[in-house]
Amino acid sequence: MAAQAIPPCSTTPPADLCSADASDRILQEITAVGRRLEAMDFKILDLSVASTSIRAKIAHFQVTVTDLDQRLTTVEDHIAAMPVQDMEIQFLLAKITDLEDRSRRDNVCFFGIAEHKEGSDVKAFLKNFLPELTGLDFSLPLEFRRAHRIGPLHKATSGRPRSIIACFLRHEQPRQVISVARSQGPYSPEGHEIRVAADFSRVTNEKQKKLDIKFGLLKQLAHRAYPVISGALPQTGLQGFSVS
């Protein structure tokens, strides 16, 4: 059987591609594709700029996170050291309270003395009043560094006189006055009860008040359990009065 001959390829384009309309349409499509490629280039450029900005922000966030981590570590270290610092603060506060109480140990507070009874000279009034109050014959003359009322005068209009605080020159005299006044109890001339107390810091006064409350409860319990001997319980000797 004889082989069939293959017809030669035609190099002539189809008639519809050779027309002017076809060429214009192809050019338009090519132009449209070019515009699309240009638009895609702009979008890629925008994405590249946005990506650069995001990378910069991520780097900034990484620095911020590192800084926050360091700060958190510092805070944790401070928190771990707080118990030691708190102990040091409590120790310093105790020393300050002790120093304040020591600086007040020559002071005596007098409560219930009528306003203006001291006249214009509080020191002279106390020199005459204390022997009468205590019944003591002081071996050395009474001398004071300072003596004055505490608080503004308008508080006296309520009927309760302001307290008098006196700073003695000699260390032994305040202790004598307080000891005798406590042993004798309240002094009530002309129906006005006058009380005497040592001058302490606010912290010590608060502690003494709490101690007095506890001792009072203890005394009540002792009286219920042992009514015969409860009267023999000693006094606390820590009854202080606020002078603030």
Side-chain angles (χ1 to χ4, degrees):
M1 186 175 180
Q4 294 181 356
I6 299 174
C9 295
S10 177
T11 57
T12 303
D16 56 345
L17 293 179
C18 296
S19 63
D21 293 340
S23 299
D24 292 341
R25 188 165 56 251
I26 293 172
L27 289 175
Q28 290 176 0
E29 291 180 358
I30 293 173
T31 302
V33 170
R35 290 175 180 175
R36 291 178 183 176
L37 290 175
E38 290 179 359
M40 290 180 66
D41 289 339
F42 284 118
K43 290 181 179 179
I44 292 173
L45 180 61
D46 292 340
L47 289 174
S48 177
V49 173
S51 176
T52 303
S53 176
I54 290 172
R55 284 196 297 268
K57 290 181 179 180
I58 291 175
H60 175 71
F61 288 151
Q62 288 177 344
V63 173
T64 303
V65 169
T66 303
D67 181 63
L68 290 176
D69 184 64
Q70 293 176 351
R71 292 185 181 184
L72 181 60
T73 302
T74 304
V75 171
E76 290 175 346
D77 293 340
H78 286 324
I79 293 175
M82 282 181 64
V84 177
Q85 294 176 353
D86 185 64
M87 291 178 61
E88 294 177 352
I89 291 172
Q90 294 301 323
F91 176 74
L92 292 176
L93 289 176
K95 287 185 69 69
I96 291 173
T97 301
D98 179 67
L99 291 173
E100 184 178 357
D101 287 334
R102 289 177 183 272
S103 68
R104 293 170 178 247
R105 60 186 175 183
D106 293 334
N107 296 349
V108 177
C109 299
F110 302 91
F111 301 88
I113 299 177
E115 288 285 341
H116 309 299
K117 188 175 182 179
E118 71 279 8
S120 60
D121 192 345
V122 181
K123 295 181 181 179
F125 167 76
L126 291 176
K127 289 180 181 179
N128 296 324
F129 176 70
L130 288 183
E132 174 188 346
L133 174 67
T134 61
L136 293 174
D137 184 14
F138 294 96
S139 58
L140 295 174
L142 290 170
E143 295 185 73
F144 305 94
R145 293 189 178 94
R146 296 173 300 277
H148 55 84
R149 294 273 184 181
I150 299 176
L153 183 60
H154 67 81
K155 288 187 177 181
T157 58
S158 62
R160 184 177 180 180
R162 295 172 297 165
S163 59
I164 293 178
I165 184 170
C167 179
F168 286 73
L169 180 63
R170 297 178 175 84
H171 298 299
E172 67 276 2
Q173 290 177 345
R175 291 189 288 271
Q176 291 177 342
V177 171
I178 293 173
S179 177
V180 172
R182 282 177 175 171
S183 63
Q184 292 179 349
Y187 177 68
S188 304
E190 302 175 0
H192 298 288
E193 181 179 282
I194 296 176
R195 296 176 297 167
V196 179
D199 182 29
F200 294 108
S201 63
R202 179 183 59 83
V203 175
T204 303
N205 274 327
E206 291 176 354
K207 290 181 179 179
Q208 289 180 354
K209 289 177 181 178
K210 293 179 181 179
L211 182 61
D212 288 339
I213 293 173
K214 292 180 180 179
F215 185 81
L217 295 175
L218 179 62
K219 190 173 182 180
Q220 292 178 5
L221 293 174
H223 179 73
R224 293 175 184 175
Y226 308 100
V228 176
I229 64 173
S230 61
L233 287 174
Q235 299 295 324
T236 61
L238 295 175
Q239 295 175 350
F241 301 93
S242 173
V243 296
S244 57

